[in-house]
């Protein structure tokens, strides 16, 4: 039987060993996943983050971001983050909807009133609640990035919801998104982001939905030139670290990483606003036909069954209420 003294010694040795494995002088190499090309606001935000971390850790934490989905598409990357083979990443909430239910709240259609409203929500206690749920699922959010409003783009013009009837619209892997598209009278086709261009070209799908910068950077406007400004969802994104990596850090490193991530988010948000304008101009110059939806009422009304299904559970209903009450 172990004596009390021996037990204390064993505990002390274990603590020392733990300390040793994360000794400050030990260099670490981190692999980061990003779906976007290097000049995209998300990518530049991530580059800023990794530079700040390198500086502030005296090059002890060295991060390399693999842009342009070099480490795989979103669903694989989410799995790899949870398994720890990817150390950090930037994710849109939609791809996490089926894994962490509270992310659905931030994806719900026509919920945020403005960019400022969204920032107040995600940077405050509601964002913290969703972040906690994500951390419990293996993905630890450090800061929220902007992704603007998502709109519909199709191979035939769309002015009112009825124009979408029967069309096949690409969505991310998310039951909520399947239901949103269904509620609009169209058919949802879940596909990886990287397959949308060729699927539009070959007629596998008739349209997709995204923000101006993604519509432009992917050149989807070449194959689906009708863009209707439905602005149906303002689903935000996170810069996050794998919880397997996170758990091995000391508090000082955690604080340093969080601060660097938040600073990178400020920068990303500035770049985002600018890129939305530039991308809109570029796609129009490239032949996109824009239909400005001035009355979103009919679109919004169709979302009633979606709210019934996703926002009536007491916890979800409470989060939705709190978001609406957030000034
Ligand atoms: C872009 C998001 C990206 C998503 C992509 C998509 O930034 O994270 O993967 O949409 O639709 O706007 O898959």
């Amino acid at each position: 039987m172990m004596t009390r003294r021996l037990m204390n010694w064993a505990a002390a040795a274990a603590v020392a060993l733990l300390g040793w494995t994360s000794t400050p002088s030990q260099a670490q190499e981190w692999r980061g996943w990003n779906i976007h090309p290097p000049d995209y606001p998300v990518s530049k935000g991530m580059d800023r983050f990794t530079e700040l971390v390198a500086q502030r850790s005296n090059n002890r934490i060295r991060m390399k971001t693999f842009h342009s989905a070099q480490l795989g598409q979103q669903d694989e990357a989410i799995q790899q983050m949870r398994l720890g083979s990817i150390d950090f990443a930037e994710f849109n909430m939609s791809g996490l909807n089926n894994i962490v239910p509270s992310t659905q709240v931030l994806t719900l259609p026509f919920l945020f009133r403005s960019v400022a409203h969204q920032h107040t929500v995600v940077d405050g206690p509601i964002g913290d609640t969703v972040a906690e749920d994500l951390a419990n699922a293996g993905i630890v959010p450090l800061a929220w990035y902007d992704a603007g409003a998502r709109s519909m783009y199709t191979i035939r013009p769309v002015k009112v919801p009825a124009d979408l009837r029967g069309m096949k619209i690409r969505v991310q892997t998310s039951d909520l998104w399947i239901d949103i598209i269904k509620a609009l009278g169209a058919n949802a086709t879940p596909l990886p982001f990287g397959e949308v261009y060729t699927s539009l070209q070959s007629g596998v799908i008739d349209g997709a939905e995204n923000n101006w910068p993604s519509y432009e950077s992917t050149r989807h406007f070449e194959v689906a030139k009708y863009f209707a400004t439905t602005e149906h969802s303002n689903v935000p994104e996170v810069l996050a670290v794998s919880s397997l990596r996170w758990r091995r850090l000391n508090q000082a490193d955690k604080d340093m990483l969080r601060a660097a991530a938040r600073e990178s988010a400020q920068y990303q948000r500035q770049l985002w606003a600018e890129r939305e304008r530039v991308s809109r101009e570029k796609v129009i110059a490239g032949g996109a036909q824009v239909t400005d939806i001035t009355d979103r009422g009919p679109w919004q009304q169709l979302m009633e069954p979606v709210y019934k299904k996703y926002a009536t559970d007491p916890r979800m209903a409470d989060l939705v209420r709190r978001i609406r009450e957030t000034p």
Side-chain angles (χ1 to χ4, degrees), residues 39-85:
D39 73 336
Y40 201 84
V42 165
S43 318
K44 290 186 174 169
M46 292 180 85
D47 288 347
R48 174 67 58 94
F49 170 63
T50 60
E51 282 158 24
L52 289 172
V53 172
Q55 273 167 23
R56 293 174 188 174
S57 71
N58 292 321
N59 231 14
R60 184 172 40 83
I61 303 181
R62 296 183 207 132
M63 299 173 144
K64 178 167 167 52
T65 310
F66 293 83
H67 298 301
S68 310
Q70 286 174 70
L71 300 181
Q73 289 296 319
Q74 183 169 266
D75 291 350
E76 295 141 31
I78 290 170
Q79 289 316 318
Q80 289 190 59
M81 272 280 276
R82 301 180 77 192
L83 296 169
S85 52

Side-chain angles (χ1 to χ4, degrees), residues 87-247:
D87 302 299
F88 66 106
E90 201 272 358
F91 290 130
N92 183 279
M93 283 302 104
S94 314
L96 297 159
N97 288 167
N98 289 359
I99 302 167
V100 177
S102 59
T103 65
Q104 291 166 352
V105 171
L106 303 179
T107 315
L108 282 171
F110 304 107
L111 182 62
F112 296 110
R113 294 187 297 273
S114 64
V115 176
H117 177 221
Q118 181 172 39
H119 287 168
T120 313
V121 169
V122 294
D123 294 339
I126 300 169
D128 292 348
T129 301
V130 177
E132 228 172 85
D133 292 351
L134 280 164
N136 289 332
I139 294 168
V140 182
L142 302 185
W144 296 90
Y145 276 21
D146 274 354
R150 295 176 77 97
S151 288
M152 291 288 165
Y153 52 91
T154 44
I155 56 166
R156 290 187 295 277
V158 166
K159 292 193 165 57
V160 292
D163 296 332
L164 274 175
R165 199 159 295 147
M167 282 197 194
K168 283 170 284 167
I169 304 294
R170 177 268 172 172
V171 292
Q172 299 176 67
T173 309
S174 156
D175 294 342
L176 167 57
W177 273 106
I178 292 177
D179 285 321
I180 292 173
I181 299 298
K182 211 188 274 170
L184 290 172
N187 304 316
T189 307
L191 278 177
F193 194 41
E195 284 175 27
V196 177
Y197 190 101
T198 49
S199 304
L200 283 165
Q201 228 176 3
S202 63
V204 167
I205 50 172
D206 306 306
E209 52 78 52
N210 220 311
N211 49 50
W212 290 109
S214 279
Y215 181 51
E216 176 255 309
S217 68
T218 54
R219 307 196 68 79
H220 291 171
F221 64 92
E222 295 173 347
V223 280
K225 68 173 186 171
Y226 298 99
F227 191 99
T229 62
T230 49
E231 302 194 348
H232 50 270
S233 171
N234 278 68
V235 51
E237 307 196 352
V238 279
L239 177 60
V241 170
S242 160
S243 68
L244 292 166
R245 203 32 119 169
W246 189 251
R247 273 191 235 134

